[in-house]
Amino acid sequence: MLAKTNLKYESQKLAINYFTVAVVLFGAQLLMGLIAAAQYLFPSFLYGVFDFNISRMVHINAMVVWMLYAMIGSVYYLLPEESGKEVVGLKFGKIAFWVLTLAVTVVVLVYIFVQIGPADMKTIWFINEGREYIEAPRWADIGIVAVVLVFYYNVFATYQKGKKTGILNVLVADLFALAGLYLCGMFFTDNVSIDQYWWWWVIHLWVEATWEVFVGAIAGFALIKIINAKREIVEMWLWIEVLMLFGSGIMGLGHHYFWIGTPEYWWEIGALFSSLEPVPLVAMFVHVLYDWGREKGHSDAKGEKSPLRNSPAMAWLALNAIGNFLGAGIWGFFHTLPQVNIYTHGTQFTAAHGHLAFFGAYATILTGMIYIAIQGLVGIERVKMTTKTKLSIAFISLGVLGMTVALTIAGYEQTLVERADLGGGWDAYFIAQNLPWYVQAQGWRFAMGVVTFIGYILLVWDMLTINKAQKEGV
Amino acid sequence: MDDKKTSVWTSIRFWRRSAAWVTGMAVVLLMILTFDTMKQVRMGTDEELKHGIKRRVPSPTVINYHISYRYDENRGVEVPVIGKKELLFGKEYSPKEAQELLHLGKLTFQAKDCIDCHTILGNGSYYAPDLTKAWLDPKWNDGTMISMTDSKTKEEAMVKFLMNPKDYRTHERMMPNLGITKKEAMALVAFLKHTSAIDTNGFPRNFSQASRRLEGGTNAR
Ligand code: HEM
Ligand code: HEM
Ligand SMILES: [Fe+2]
């Protein structure tokens, strides 16, 4: 790839390693998604060889892992710049990267070639834990915890030594919670209700609390970096965001406790708090646009050049603001009240929300961070979008939005026919699966998945060549 | 900016403290409710079951009883109803045996990664039917699957299906053979029967209403 000589700090070189693996795994995620989507349309495709559960498992695991890689990469990238110090103990961090990458490779190979095992704790330890998103076998869980401890040591020791900016205060506290939550998913129980209770602590308290706060923090960093936003304003907003995100998101966990055997009081609690969850997402949206407008206003008034120092990163950041609000805020709110959720629970509607939310809230901003790292790698003042940047953004966002709309239609049909009319059950399920609206929607989802994948190829191509394009002048 | 601010609304310190307090309070509230919820969802005991004490997650020995799912006027939702003795595989399981069988069933459920095709309690994947009330599904109870698998009881039919779903498919989208042994399949049936007795606050609603309309007989209101 590119030479890393322009990067000022050692940890930023490590960040590039993390980002590289993240981008590769993103591609793997999309390929697996396409296989899974094809299996909906042609059930005999890879039947008995690479069944739906395997393609789906690799699809969502690759997603979680690439996002964690990109998050760690983002921290290694911004940490020395924020603290003003080279990261402490980085040689352990470098070893941890290789250990983690080796572990991930082994886990994926075992998923693909061994897939499942006999009913024995050995399967849970070495093959597959059989719990959605956190299927990774127990040995890998422990390895991940060890690596994360090293990473956290890097972050904490550097934080102690250097400048303690507001962004770093938030990040250091947030990463601690994020890592600690993973432990909630590392036990076996016969009680499926208790199983799911704690499983949601990992899933929900990640994506709707700690990951969101993480996004708030790196969006703050990115705004300062890209458009020179005023730090005081960014950090004040950040604390307000933390207040609202944790204030609503932590108890919003209740929206997953309506039907899993847990008491009825979660209806009210889940409905109340999770309904508030979109509020901070609106605030984050407003914040990005406000700061952008503000800085642009300033420079326009002074007759200067646009304050935009990295337009691809800014485009992805704006997409994040919109996508987070739409996917998590709007699509989440659609089904968060128990009166609605009793019908939509576990339908394609959930999948529609899951896609737009994960893409809008996380894939976007992490891609933006990668562009910021590329700027550091090239070592130039301004990065401008190329045609490829624009096309990749158009294809990926249209593709994901298209998939979401298709799945929303499928989910709507499923909710009405399978759930409301027929009341669920084996026959009801298949009657709804085989109606034309549903089948067509699955077709569109596949088509839009292909569009997304083309966008991904353009994205990678752009990432590899944007540096040359800048030198030649866009 | 931190100290010389005139308005509290633009003071970073004010927002930082508020954020810390609100987060702290949310965490405390969640802890309290978690303790209460854990108490309410712990698995019941055989004693409680014998004395008719309702538990949200009943004792494993619930597999020795008939289970149905009926509308409860007071709560306004359908709830599991535990009826008379109804042996599973022609056998009455002791608390210890029932516990072991349930354990093996849950373990099989995870080891075979059922969750990445099916939902259970509504969570999981959307490629195949929800398994929360699979034990009560009309297809297992109205004779369809029993005669198709040439079995005498529904549990026998379920075991045959789980061991060899490819041979007993009813739709183009088939479940694959997952190398499930007879012991594992029996344990899965116990696990599914136990799960159907969990009080899910009425999910799924109007369960298999369709077959009632079709006179198939169902457990809904
Ligand atoms: C090539 C494009 C993609 C295709 C064809 C695709 C396809 C699929 C399929 C078939 C499933 C299984 C859903 C089910 O159980 O019925 C799935 C699940 C999922 N995918 Fe994708 N996907 C794609 C891209 C993405 C992207 C870009 C993201 C997010 C960044 C994503 C996140 C997820 C998540 C979170 C789930 C689990 C949803 C849930 O359990 O509700 N996928 N995807
Ligand atoms: C970035 C933030 C978010 C992400 C990445 C996200 C992602 C997801 C995913 C992947 C699922 C499916 C989980 C599964 O596989 O079972 C889910 C479920 C759900 N989400 Fe979100 N979500 C986010 C924010 C929100 C918000 C803000 C709300 C409400 C306002 C919300 C409401 C829900 C509800 C009610 C469910 C349960 C769906 C069901 O009953 O099947 N989500 N979310
Ligand atoms: Fe949630």
Side-chain angles (χ1 to χ4, degrees), chain B residues 143-172:
Chain B
T144 317
M145 291 311 287
I146 296 183
S147 58
M148 184 186 195
T149 55
D150 199 12
S151 308
K152 294 206 176 58
T153 59
K154 76 167 152 176
E155 52 266 37
E156 192 190 333
M158 283 178 123
V159 166
K160 282 190 180 155
F161 172 82
L162 288 170
M163 290 176 68
N164 224 331
K166 204 176 162 180
D167 291 351
Y168 303 113
R169 73 196 191 103
T170 54
H171 295 91
E172 195 195 344

Coordinates of all heavy atoms in Angstrom, one line a residue, chain B residues 143-172:
Chain B
G143 N -51.9 -33.5 13.6 CA -51.7 -34.7 12.9 C -50.9 -34.6 11.6 O -50.4 -35.6 11.1
T144 N -50.7 -33.4 11.1 CA -49.9 -33.3 9.8 C -48.5 -33.9 9.9 O -48.2 -34.8 9.1 CB -49.7 -31.8 9.5 OG1 -50.9 -31.1 9.7 CG2 -49.3 -31.6 8.0
M145 N -47.8 -33.5 10.9 CA -46.4 -33.9 11.0 C -46.3 -35.4 11.5 O -45.5 -36.1 11.2 CB -45.6 -33.0 11.8 CG -45.3 -31.6 11.2 SD -44.7 -31.7 9.5 CE -43.0 -32.2 9.7
I146 N -47.3 -35.7 12.4 CA -47.3 -37.0 12.9 C -47.5 -38.1 11.8 O -46.7 -39.1 11.7 CB -48.4 -37.2 14.0 CG1 -48.0 -36.2 15.2 CG2 -48.5 -38.6 14.5 CD1 -48.9 -36.3 16.4
S147 N -48.4 -37.8 11.0 CA -48.6 -38.8 9.9 C -47.5 -38.7 8.9 O -47.1 -39.8 8.3 CB -50.0 -38.6 9.3 OG -50.1 -37.3 8.7
M148 N -47.0 -37.6 8.6 CA -46.0 -37.4 7.6 C -44.7 -38.2 8.0 O -44.0 -38.9 7.2 CB -45.6 -36.0 7.4 CG -44.6 -35.7 6.4 SD -44.2 -34.0 6.4 CE -43.3 -33.8 4.9
T149 N -44.4 -38.2 9.3 CA -43.2 -38.8 9.8 C -43.5 -40.3 10.3 O -42.7 -41.0 10.8 CB -42.6 -38.1 11.0 OG1 -43.6 -37.9 12.0 CG2 -42.1 -36.7 10.6
D150 N -44.8 -40.6 10.1 CA -45.2 -42.0 10.5 C -44.9 -42.3 11.9 O -44.3 -43.3 12.3 CB -44.4 -43.0 9.6 CG -45.1 -44.3 9.5 OD1 -46.3 -44.4 10.0 OD2 -44.5 -45.3 9.0
S151 N -45.3 -41.3 12.8 CA -45.1 -41.5 14.2 C -46.3 -41.7 15.0 O -47.4 -41.5 14.5 CB -44.4 -40.2 14.7 OG -43.3 -39.9 13.9
K152 N -46.1 -42.0 16.3 CA -47.3 -42.1 17.2 C -47.6 -40.9 18.0 O -48.7 -40.6 18.2 CB -47.0 -43.3 18.1 CG -47.0 -44.6 17.4 CD -47.4 -45.8 18.4 CE -47.4 -47.1 17.6 NZ -46.0 -47.4 17.0
T153 N -46.5 -40.2 18.4 CA -46.7 -39.0 19.2 C -46.0 -37.8 18.5 O -45.2 -38.0 17.6 CB -46.1 -39.2 20.6 OG1 -44.7 -39.4 20.4 CG2 -46.7 -40.3 21.3
K154 N -46.4 -36.6 19.0 CA -45.7 -35.5 18.4 C -44.3 -35.4 18.7 O -43.5 -34.9 18.0 CB -46.5 -34.1 18.7 CG -46.3 -33.6 20.0 CD -46.9 -32.1 20.1 CE -47.3 -31.8 21.5 NZ -47.8 -30.4 21.6
E155 N -43.9 -35.8 20.0 CA -42.5 -35.8 20.3 C -41.7 -36.7 19.4 O -40.6 -36.3 19.0 CB -42.3 -36.0 21.8 CG -42.8 -37.3 22.4 CD -44.2 -37.0 23.1 OE1 -45.0 -36.2 22.5 OE2 -44.5 -37.6 24.1
E156 N -42.3 -37.8 19.1 CA -41.6 -38.7 18.2 C -41.4 -38.1 16.8 O -40.4 -38.1 16.2 CB -42.4 -40.0 18.1 CG -41.6 -41.2 17.4 CD -42.5 -42.4 17.1 OE1 -43.5 -42.6 17.8 OE2 -42.2 -43.1 16.1
A157 N -42.5 -37.4 16.4 CA -42.4 -36.7 15.1 C -41.4 -35.7 15.1 O -40.6 -35.5 14.1 CB -43.8 -36.1 14.8
M158 N -41.3 -34.9 16.2 CA -40.3 -33.8 16.2 C -38.9 -34.4 16.2 O -38.0 -33.8 15.5 CB -40.5 -33.0 17.5 CG -41.7 -32.1 17.4 SD -41.9 -31.2 19.0 CE -41.7 -29.5 18.5
V159 N -38.7 -35.5 16.9 CA -37.3 -36.1 16.9 C -37.0 -36.5 15.5 O -35.9 -36.2 15.0 CB -37.3 -37.3 17.9 CG1 -36.0 -38.1 17.6 CG2 -37.3 -36.8 19.3
K160 N -37.9 -37.2 14.8 CA -37.6 -37.6 13.5 C -37.3 -36.4 12.5 O -36.4 -36.5 11.7 CB -38.8 -38.4 12.9 CG -38.8 -39.8 13.5 CD -39.9 -40.6 12.7 CE -39.9 -42.1 13.2 NZ -41.3 -42.7 13.0
F161 N -38.1 -35.4 12.7 CA -37.9 -34.2 11.9 C -36.5 -33.6 12.1 O -35.8 -33.3 11.2 CB -39.0 -33.2 12.1 CG -38.8 -31.9 11.4 CD1 -39.1 -31.7 10.1 CD2 -38.2 -30.8 12.1 CE1 -38.9 -30.5 9.5 CE2 -38.0 -29.6 11.5 CZ -38.3 -29.4 10.2
L162 N -36.2 -33.4 13.4 CA -35.0 -32.7 13.7 C -33.8 -33.5 13.3 O -32.7 -32.9 12.9 CB -34.9 -32.5 15.2 CG -35.8 -31.4 15.7 CD1 -35.9 -31.3 17.3 CD2 -35.4 -30.0 15.2
M163 N -33.9 -34.9 13.3 CA -32.7 -35.7 12.9 C -32.6 -35.7 11.4 O -31.5 -35.9 10.9 CB -32.9 -37.1 13.4 CG -32.7 -37.1 15.0 SD -33.0 -38.8 15.6 CE -31.6 -39.7 14.9
N164 N -33.7 -35.5 10.7 CA -33.7 -35.6 9.3 C -34.6 -34.6 8.6 O -35.5 -35.1 7.8 CB -34.1 -37.0 8.9 CG -33.1 -37.6 7.9 OD1 -32.6 -36.8 7.0 ND2 -32.9 -38.9 7.9
P165 N -34.5 -33.4 8.8 CA -35.5 -32.4 8.3 C -35.6 -32.4 6.7 O -36.6 -32.2 6.2 CB -34.9 -31.0 8.7 CG -33.5 -31.2 9.1 CD -33.4 -32.7 9.5
K166 N -34.5 -32.9 6.1 CA -34.5 -32.9 4.6 C -35.6 -33.9 4.1 O -36.2 -33.6 3.1 CB -33.1 -33.3 4.2 CG -32.8 -32.9 2.8 CD -31.4 -33.2 2.4 CE -31.2 -33.2 0.9 NZ -29.9 -33.5 0.5
D167 N -35.8 -35.0 4.8 CA -36.7 -36.0 4.4 C -38.2 -35.6 4.7 O -39.1 -36.2 4.1 CB -36.4 -37.3 5.0 CG -35.1 -37.9 4.5 OD1 -34.6 -37.3 3.5 OD2 -34.6 -38.9 5.1
Y168 N -38.4 -34.7 5.6 CA -39.8 -34.3 6.0 C -40.1 -32.9 5.7 O -40.8 -32.2 6.4 CB -40.0 -34.6 7.5 CG -39.7 -36.1 7.8 CD1 -38.6 -36.4 8.7 CD2 -40.5 -37.1 7.3 CE1 -38.3 -37.7 9.0 CE2 -40.2 -38.4 7.6 CZ -39.1 -38.7 8.4 OH -38.8 -40.0 8.7
R169 N -39.5 -32.4 4.6 CA -39.7 -31.0 4.3 C -41.1 -30.7 3.9 O -41.8 -31.5 3.4 CB -38.7 -30.5 3.3 CG -39.2 -31.0 1.9 CD -38.0 -30.9 0.9 NE -38.5 -31.1 -0.4 CZ -38.7 -30.1 -1.3 NH1 -38.5 -28.9 -1.0 NH2 -39.1 -30.4 -2.5
T170 N -41.6 -29.5 4.3 CA -42.9 -29.1 3.8 C -42.8 -27.8 3.0 O -43.9 -27.4 2.5 CB -43.8 -28.8 5.0 OG1 -43.2 -27.8 5.9 CG2 -44.1 -30.0 5.8
H171 N -41.7 -27.3 2.8 CA -41.5 -26.1 2.0 C -40.3 -26.2 1.2 O -39.3 -26.9 1.5 CB -41.5 -24.8 2.8 CG -42.8 -24.6 3.5 ND1 -43.1 -25.0 4.8 CD2 -43.9 -23.9 3.1 CE1 -44.3 -24.7 5.1 NE2 -44.8 -24.0 4.1
E172 N -40.2 -25.3 0.1 CA -39.0 -25.3 -0.7 C -37.8 -24.9 0.1 O -36.7 -25.4 -0.1 CB -39.2 -24.3 -1.9 CG -38.2 -24.5 -3.0 CD -38.2 -23.4 -3.9 OE1 -39.2 -22.6 -3.9 OE2 -37.2 -23.2 -4.7

